[in-house]
Amino acid sequence: MCREYSNITMKSLLSSLLGFALVTVLLSGCTKDYTKINTDANSLSSVGPNEYPYMFSYALMSPMLSPDNFEIGEGTIASVYSQFFSQAAHSFPTDRYVVVQPWMPACWNPVYINAAPQLKTIMNNTDVNSAENALANIWWVWMFHRVTDYFGPVPYFDAASGQSSVAYTPQDSIYYDFFPRLTAAVEVLKNHTSEKPFGSYDLVFGKKSDPVNSWIKFANSLRLRLALRISKVAPDRARTEAEAAVAAGVMTDLSDDAYMPHNKINYNEFNGLAVTAGWDDVRMSSAMASILKGYSDPRLSVYWQPAVATGEYTGARNGMFTSEKIIEENSRLFTSNLGTKWTYWDTNVNDWKTNYDAPQSIIVSAESYFLKAEGALNGWNMGGTARDFYEAGIRRSMQQWGITDQTAINDYIASNATPIALNDYFDSPAVNDYPIAFSASADMQRKQIAQQKWLALFPDGMEGWAEVRRTGFPELYHIIHSENPDISENQFIRRMPFLSAEAQTNGAAVSKAVGMLGGPDKVTTPLWWDKN
């Protein structure tokens, strides 16, 4: 496993964009050698329409994070701060709120170095009314909403512009660009529903008979997600965007779900989460254990697998010291690794093996139901009731993970079960008291929607962390220890600080960006949309 990352900064990046990453794409739509650099190109403008499909493929794959980048950028940061995972298996300090600056480019470089130049070239050199231009704009929003939700202000309008000094954009301005960009892209795509833009090089929907309609639903679902994200800071705008997104048509069926394919043999791109699990880096969090075991949730055996030593599903608290991790009940063999979709224990070698080819979810239809449930609870016109959408979201998530027993699903939805105390080394109580059956209390309904959405978002740690910050739910355990002097173990981490390498080489822009935060450049400063 590798934890060494390039210190290329935004300033040096944009001054070196005379070359760009091209990829070789097989006729089947799979790509090969995503790290090959075309150093012979004199500039991005030297490429033409024949190269745009290759560039789009590369821009799609890069922000999904290669294994090394995933291990750090998502596996040890967002997935831990969402409490999907604990790092009981390793001594990574990020679980104790330590910011490891040399690791931070893993959250940054895949977008700014690999993907943004490709998309910017496509957007600048194709007809604004073309389907190709629309798809590039949709993916631009998808990848940048993840970056800005890590840091707050980031280079956005000037990203991949080739400028020597790269300005940061306030987060509200970024979000207010997302909505018209998605709206315009959908309007364009409505005129191209019979086309297959980028052909098989569209790794997400290119194999479908109607990829444009799938991208329309993707864009509307992303618009709905972003609308709820700003619902506490700009409620009127949020309602307008959410109602328009639902009216335009969001994901509703498993066939709508968006995944990034991975294939070790054909194009040497692995599922980063699966590799991280195979490296034995993560464990089921205690929050997950309390909720899933308390609910007797059928997804427990899909998301996780029993501990090797005991055959039981066991989580671990976030924020343990290394000395606490080596205690038997907290150790690797006594806690649950990810499910067999991603990794499995090979008894022949007594080690974990990786399912490299597992597809990686991008946005799934179950989320849209929970977003509509919350919108309905807000009094917005979502086309149904909060309860109906809540229960439909549970059903869709179960279906997504292969749970087909309708009696079991019905019993689950009607259950008054709540999370349980864990009787663990720390005598952890139940993480919260939310029942499954939809409550008569609006306050509890909001908590239930958030908790079931949190379960349905798994394993997308970036989105899980964003939603925990935005809603304040589900109520999770405080970490055991903080080793960051800026934040105590009784607080929840709100953002990642700006890259130190950026401050060194693009210092004036970073200084201005700090002024946009409304607080110091620390993990305790909430983002613009975070009002908890």
Side-chain angles (χ1 to χ4, degrees), residues 442-454:
D443 288 342
M444 181 56 74
Q445 290 170 8
R446 198 167 295 277
K447 295 176 181 179
Q448 291 174 305
I449 292 167
Q451 184 142 291
Q452 286 294 335
K453 180 166 60 175
W454 183 80

Side-chain angles (χ1 to χ4, degrees), residues 214-338:
S214 294
W215 276 109
I216 288 173
K217 292 180 182 180
F218 180 101
N220 291 330
S221 299
L222 179 56
R223 185 180 179 186
L224 179 61
R225 172 192 283 184
L226 299 176
L228 268 296
R229 190 84 94 238
I230 68 169
S231 58
K232 290 187 177 181
V233 69
D236 292 340
R237 179 67 181 271
R239 178 174 188 162
T240 298
E241 297 294 344
E243 291 181 346
V246 169
V250 298
M251 294 172 165
T252 59
D253 190 77
L254 288 188
S255 62
D256 298 327
D257 292 356
Y259 292 91
M260 183 62 64
H262 293 280
N263 190 285
K264 179 180 180 181
I265 295 175
N266 286 346
Y267 51 98
N268 201 36
E269 267 293 339
F270 313 149
N271 182 307
L273 174 59
V275 174
T276 298
W279 283 338
D280 204 14
D281 279 3
V282 296
R283 284 295 181 272
M284 175 168 61
S285 73
S286 290
M288 269 281 175
S290 177
I291 295 168
L292 291 175
K293 293 174 73 173
Y295 285 172
S296 297
D297 196 305
R299 292 167 291 190
L300 174 63
S301 61
V302 184
Y303 288 2
W304 308 100
Q305 53 192 299
V308 172
T310 65
E312 298 179 358
Y313 292 97
T314 305
R317 287 292 295 271
N318 291 84
M320 287 191 289
F321 286 140
T322 302
S323 59
E324 292 164 326
K325 295 180 183 184
I326 63 176
I327 294 170
E328 185 175 90
E329 71 169 271
N330 296 332
S331 64
R332 297 184 185 190
L333 296 182
F334 286 78
T335 49
S336 293
N337 201 344
L338 280 163

Side-chain angles (χ1 to χ4, degrees), residues 70 74-75 78-80 82 84-85 146 259 271 273-274 282 288 302-304 338-339 341-342 358-362 364 400-401 453-465:
F70 189 99
E74 187 160 350
S79 293
V80 169
S82 67
F84 283 171
F85 307 151
R146 289 160 73 90
Y259 292 91
N271 182 307
L273 174 59
V282 296
M288 269 281 175
V302 184
Y303 288 2
W304 308 100
L338 280 163
K341 173 180 177 177
W342 299 280
Q360 188 173 353
S361 61
I362 304 172
V364 295
Q400 176 190 340
W401 294 103
K453 180 166 60 175
W454 183 80
L455 291 172
L457 286 170
F458 181 87
D460 186 349
M462 291 192 182
E463 188 60 21
W465 183 33

